[in-house]
Amino acid sequence: PDSPELAELRELAKEGVPARAELLAAAPNAAIAMIGAGRTVDENAGFFERLLASAESLIKVRPIGVVEGEGVDAVVARMEAALKAGDLTKALAEYETLPEGPKAAGAAFAEQVRLRQKAEELVDRALAGALRA
């Protein structure tokens, strides 16, 4: 009852913490938003490049799983794979490597992941303290 983590957990509970299942359900839409924000068309692009970019905006194709590379789509794929594996720390580390545009597009989602991570860390510390007592 005197665990210092309980006060922080109560504060988190007031606002609500997303369940892992909710994060997994929201991940595909967040991924599409982040990848879309990373796709820009050069203002000097020709007709074909603009046409291709327009077609890509209509069709949502993205990699999934642990993908090599440093592009936004590869980073987002690894982020989503880490979430599915239950590794919130790795998912957030991948998110932090994104450029500003995609990072801004995924900011609300990343904040939800951070809330979940913080809640789990507080619960782990509270349980560890209770077991030591």
Side-chain angles (χ1 to χ4, degrees):
D2 59 349
S3 174
E5 292 83 11
L6 291 180
E8 287 183 74
L9 282 168
R10 283 187 187 102
E11 286 300 313
L12 286 176
K14 286 180 186 176
E15 295 180 25
V17 175
R20 283 182 176 253
E22 292 173 316
L23 292 174
L24 289 173
N29 287 338
I32 289 169
M34 288 183 278
I35 291 169
R39 291 186 177 149
T40 58
V41 180
D42 183 8
E43 62 185 46
N44 297 323
F47 173 76
F48 181 73
E49 288 85 8
R50 289 180 187 274
L51 183 63
L52 182 61
S54 177
E56 285 177 345
S57 71
L58 297 174
I59 301 170
K60 309 295 186 217
V61 177
R62 63 185 178 89
I64 56 171
V66 180
V67 179
E68 291 185 27
E70 299 305 315
V72 172
D73 53 347
V75 172
V76 170
R78 289 192 302 270
M79 181 180 164
E80 196 171 5
L83 278 173
K84 287 180 182 175
D87 192 344
L88 303 179
T89 302
K90 182 170 174 52
L92 289 170
E94 290 289 353
Y95 168 78
E96 291 301 327
T97 67
L98 289 169
E100 288 307 312
K103 191 182 281 189
F109 178 73
E111 184 56 32
Q112 293 297 300
V113 175
R114 280 190 194 96
L115 281 172
R116 181 72 202 180
Q117 180 186 38
K118 183 176 182 178
E120 289 183 7
E121 287 173 356
L122 288 169
V123 167
D124 288 346
R125 287 195 317 232
L127 288 175
L131 291 175
R132 280 191 301 256

